[in-house]
Amino acid sequence: MTKPIRFMLNDRKEETAGSTGGSALDYIRRTLRLTGTREGCREGECGACTVLLGEPWKGTVRYKAVASCLLPLGELEGRHIVTVEGINRSDGKPNTIQQALVEEGAVQCGFCTPGIVMSLTGFFLTVENPTFQEAVDALDGNICRCTGYKSIQRALRNLCDTYGTRIAQFKKEQQEADSQETNQKESRQWQADRIHLLVEWNILPAYFKDIAPQLSEIGDTGIDAQVSDKERRQKKRKNRVVVAGATDLLVQQPEELKEQELYFISRRDELRQIRQKDNWLFIGAGVTVEEMKRSPEIEAYYPRMPEYLSLVSSTIMRNRATLAGNIVNASPIGDLTIMLLAMDADICLVDGKQRREMPLRDFYKGYKTLDRRKSEIIESVEIPLPRKEWDIRFNFEKVSRRKYLDIASINTAMSIRMDEERIETFHLSAGGVAPVPLYLKDTCANLKGRKVDRETIDYAFKVIDGEISPITDVRGSAQYKRKLLRNLVYSHFLTMFPEKNFDPNYLLSLP
Ligand SMILES: Cc1cc2nc3c(=O)[nH]c(=O)nc-3n(C[C@H](O)[C@H](O)[C@H](O)COP(=O)(O)OP(=O)(O)OC[C@H]3O[C@@H](n4cnc5c(N)ncnc54)[C@H](O)[C@@H]3O)c2cc1C
Ligand code: FES
Ligand code: FES
């Protein structure tokens, strides 16, 4: 018999025997009748269903805003889920965020408003330095059909001018006091302080201060107990469906998931770390795109990574989507996969006690065909590091119909390490030009040892053209995609070698 799923919902404890693969949205709206959480697209596109998901973390609770339509019920075990009803004030007045939106006329039909309020609450609960621009970015997954966004932005500016500045100031003062007293204050204490501040400013209701002990009373027994039971674990490995962020799975097979045994990657803390060892960066399979975006370890070697990753879906999706999910989904235009191919990444696959490593580029055998047994999970992605932080040139380009919240027509990444004047290592990948996320191995092999000049670039165009096989589809004709990839590769060179002063209009002179 399946154990019930136990969690906190707003200010109370909940328990359900519902299917672990059902969506949290259905449970919230249909079973509990908490209809403040709206149902729009059910595919992660509109943000109307946004809620907060809080998990125990070093004695406090760490929250993020997520789309409940793509949140499997099983993920709630031992966690705190907060709907818009759960951030209302007890006296019935609007809270600080709601009031700011009202004052600027940022609510018209109101369909999107609960989602916007929850994304903004998540923003104040997570972002280190809450500036206006960060607040705008935090709403990149919330669509409003009525306001035209200007009034929403005015409300954001007012909120950030007051509270963003105060949060940044408070943190600075804390750090100064800590460095005088105890050397360094643990970030867990800061998270607890932040919750207290947000309660004081009427952004959160007071019960938030007592969630951490209540979650530890509930524990995290149900799903974990199933996973760690030895006999069941062996059986499960063969039949289970591995679930990470579920941002592909719940879109592609919502009904099937309700019937299957699920294995939640987010329960494995060790798969959620980013660490550096010697000349390798290890990124756990369960690390989310947003965690990668905010990782100082990754940024040290790839300084523009936050900018590239902001082109992947939206904040509420990035808060759940993982890099291993992107790799195994095997979309020929998966953004993370394309970046990782050009970073020359390896993957580590584990099946019980068996473990094997392989270059990511060897993982793809054909359209959605992988070198992976069903019982294997990706444990980590391993990226070789350059000798020095500045020793690598890397660029990612993506063309899609909309800049944000859209999948690519074509995407490509390139990395080069130079040895004096000559190319020492060269890695180029491209999406949307083959049935798989493509590592252009001939181009990579042929460019090694060459100088970076116009002749080399022309030569690269020729080899690339022989390696790709785009098809005509809704995102463009095969011919358009060939030209587009050539433009983007030229853009790699323009961006990575500004000192060469390549002519930006050169391609216009080509047939
Ligand atoms: C609205 C929206 C926008 C999106 N925008 C983009 C975009 O801009 N760019 C982009 O590249 N993608 C985009 N996606 C696709 C998706 O978000 C990504 O592919 C994401 O990285 C998938 O990760 P996940 O953790 O959600 O995977 P899941 O859905 O949990 O899993 C996907 C597949 O991987 C398997 N899997 C997951 N983890 C492991 C593991 N550790 N070992 C073995 N198998 C595993 C699962 O069994 C499943 O087959 C978008 C999706 C949505 C819904
Ligand atoms: S209903 Fe649109 S994102 Fe969930
Ligand atoms: S106010 Fe109507 S959709 Fe935003």
Side-chain angles (χ1 to χ4, degrees):
M1 201 184 83
T2 317
K3 288 190 176 184
I5 305 163
R6 300 186 311 147
F7 55 99
M8 295 285 303
L9 181 116
N10 300 333
D11 59 353
R12 62 176 198 258
K13 288 184 181 146
E14 275 289 333
E15 188 170 305
T16 172
S19 158
T20 53
S23 82
L25 174 65
D26 286 343
Y27 180 72
I28 293 166
R29 280 186 64 88
R30 300 197 179 146
T31 308
L32 300 178
R33 306 299 301 160
L34 290 173
T35 50
T37 304
R38 305 283 199 247
E39 178 174 343
C41 64
R42 291 185 74 90
E43 291 199 345
E45 299 268 4
C46 72
C49 68
T50 305
V51 295
L52 294 179
L53 181 65
E55 60 179 327
W57 182 67
K58 298 180 180 179
T60 176
V61 186
R62 186 165 55 172
Y63 290 92
K64 52 192 173 186
V66 301
S68 60
C69 63
L70 301 185
L71 180 66
L73 209 48
E75 285 285 20
L76 305 193
E77 169 70 21
R79 294 185 174 154
H80 183 205
I81 183 160
V82 188
T83 67
V84 72
E85 292 85 355
I87 54 153
N88 284 340
R89 282 170 58 150
S90 53
D91 59 9
K93 291 185 186 154
N95 76 16
T96 301
I97 291 177
Q98 292 161 336
Q99 184 61 31
L101 292 168
V102 170
E103 277 169 14
E104 291 300 336
V107 181
Q108 289 190 30
C109 79
F111 188 79
C112 67
T113 311
I116 288 180
V117 170
M118 298 315 286
S119 281
L120 277 176
T121 311
F123 163 75
F124 279 111
L125 271 162
T126 49
V127 174
E128 287 288 308
N129 184 16
T131 60
F132 169 68
Q133 190 50 52
E134 289 257 25
V136 172
D137 293 346
L139 293 188
D140 55 2
N142 295 85
I143 291 175
C144 174
R145 287 288 173 223
C146 306
T147 65
Y149 299 104
K150 283 295 164 207
S151 49
I152 297 175
Q153 289 187 5
R154 282 196 304 273
L156 298 188
R157 194 173 286 286
N158 295 345
L159 282 166
C160 290
D161 282 353
T162 315
Y163 300 104
T165 319
R166 279 161 72 177
I167 285 181
Q169 180 63 25
F170 180 81
K171 183 153 192 198
K172 194 162 159 253
E173 283 165 14
Q174 293 276 307
Q175 279 167 341
E176 280 166 10
D178 290 341
S179 58
Q180 281 165 12
E181 283 167 27
T182 54
N183 209 359
Q184 251 217 335
K185 190 172 192 177
E186 289 220 40
S187 47
R188 73 186 145 100
Q189 186 53 42
W190 158 238
Q191 178 63 8
D193 288 345
R194 187 204 293 251
I195 290 173
H196 279 72
L197 279 181
L198 296 180
V199 169
E200 206 177 287
W201 299 338
N202 272 321
I203 288 176
L204 296 176
Y207 77 82
F208 267 75
K209 294 195 269 190
D210 304 321
I211 291 297
Q214 296 195 68
L215 284 185
S216 58
E217 264 170 38
I218 293 178
D220 187 359
T221 51
I223 305 291
D224 263 0
Q226 289 171 22
V227 171
S228 60
D229 177 280
K230 201 172 170 192
E231 255 177 54
R232 293 202 67 201
R233 201 171 53 201
Q234 279 165 347
K235 196 170 146 228
K236 262 184 152 192
R237 272 213 303 277
K238 295 212 177 80
N239 303 314
R240 69 193 177 184
V241 176
V242 178
V243 178
T247 62
D248 279 321
L249 274 174
L250 257 175
V251 174
Q252 291 162 4
Q253 26 183 308
E255 292 309 316
E256 293 88 326
L257 279 197
K258 288 181 194 160
E259 310 297 324
Q260 288 163 319
E261 286 255 33
L262 307 185
Y263 179 80
F264 290 98
I265 288 286
S266 71
R267 303 280 156 193
R268 301 260 318 262
D269 276 349
E270 73 282 12
L271 302 190
R272 299 178 65 189
Q273 321 283 334
I274 300 177
R275 67 190 165 86
Q276 186 181 341
K277 190 164 177 247
D278 305 324
N279 290 334
W280 289 87
L281 194 62
F282 294 84
I283 308 181
V287 169
T288 65
V289 183
E290 191 63 18
E291 284 160 356
M292 284 178 72
K293 183 170 166 250
R294 297 192 181 274
S295 157
E297 293 90 346
I298 297 178
E299 203 179 340
Y301 289 93
Y302 295 92
R304 291 185 62 197
M305 197 47 85
E307 187 189 325
Y308 303 140
L309 292 176
S310 69
L311 300 175
V312 179
S313 52
S314 62
T315 306
I316 52 171
M317 288 290 105
R318 288 194 300 271
N319 275 338
R320 293 275 306 152
T322 64
L323 82 168
N326 200 265
I327 291 171
V328 176
N329 186 50
S331 160
I333 43 171
D335 290 320
L336 292 154
T337 310
I338 290 300
M339 288 181 216
L340 291 167
L341 283 169
M343 290 160 126
D344 196 23
D346 288 348
I347 52 174
C348 175
L349 290 146
V350 177
D351 185 1
K353 292 201 168 121
Q354 293 172 39
R355 165 186 299 266
R356 65 192 177 108
E357 289 183 14
M358 70 164 89
L360 176 59
R361 71 182 85 119
D362 294 343
F363 191 52
Y364 299 104
K365 298 296 174 199
Y367 178 68
K368 300 249 175 187
T369 309
L370 307 173
D371 180 358
R372 171 184 170 246
R373 290 191 298 276
K374 194 166 178 258
S375 50
E376 278 180 316
I377 64 160
I378 296 185
E379 194 179 69
S380 63
V381 176
E382 304 166 5
I383 300 168
L385 289 174
R387 288 179 295 255
K388 299 259 180 343
E389 278 89 340
W390 45 262
D391 189 32
I392 198 156
R393 298 178 194 231
F394 179 87
N395 190 44
F396 172 72
E397 299 282 345
K398 171 175 178 176
V399 171
S400 46
R401 289 190 186 159
R402 288 182 303 188
K403 185 169 178 196
Y404 297 109
L405 201 55
D406 203 358
I407 48 170
S409 300
I410 301 278
N411 52 6
T412 166
M414 183 163 115
S415 80
I416 297 188
R417 226 180 287 173
M418 299 297 291
D419 182 10
E420 305 286 335
E421 281 298 293
R422 306 229 163 229
I423 297 174
E424 186 186 326
T425 58
F426 182 90
H427 300 289
L428 176 66
S429 58
V433 292
V436 295
L438 192 65
Y439 178 81
L440 289 103
K441 61 178 184 331
D442 292 344
T443 314
C444 297
N446 280 300
L447 260 67
K448 266 188 217 161
R450 294 183 74 114
K451 283 187 169 176
V452 174
D453 53 22
R454 184 85 133 291
E455 204 183 308
T456 295
I457 296 175
D458 284 339
Y459 176 67
F461 288 160
K462 277 205 194 93
V463 189
I464 290 168
D465 230 33
E467 276 202 271
I468 60 175
S469 51
I471 53 166
T472 299
D473 61 16
V474 285
R475 295 191 198 100
S477 67
Q479 198 197 4
Y480 163 76
K481 290 179 187 175
R482 278 184 187 277
K483 277 200 167 177
L484 183 54
L485 181 59
R486 190 169 65 178
N487 288 2
L488 296 180
V489 170
Y490 193 62
S491 181
H492 285 319
F493 282 103
L494 284 178
T495 310
M496 287 158 70
F497 294 92
E499 73 278 14
K500 300 269 179 193
N501 291 317
F502 290 124
D503 175 6
N505 295 319
Y506 170 59
L507 291 181
L508 296 175
S509 64
L510 296 181

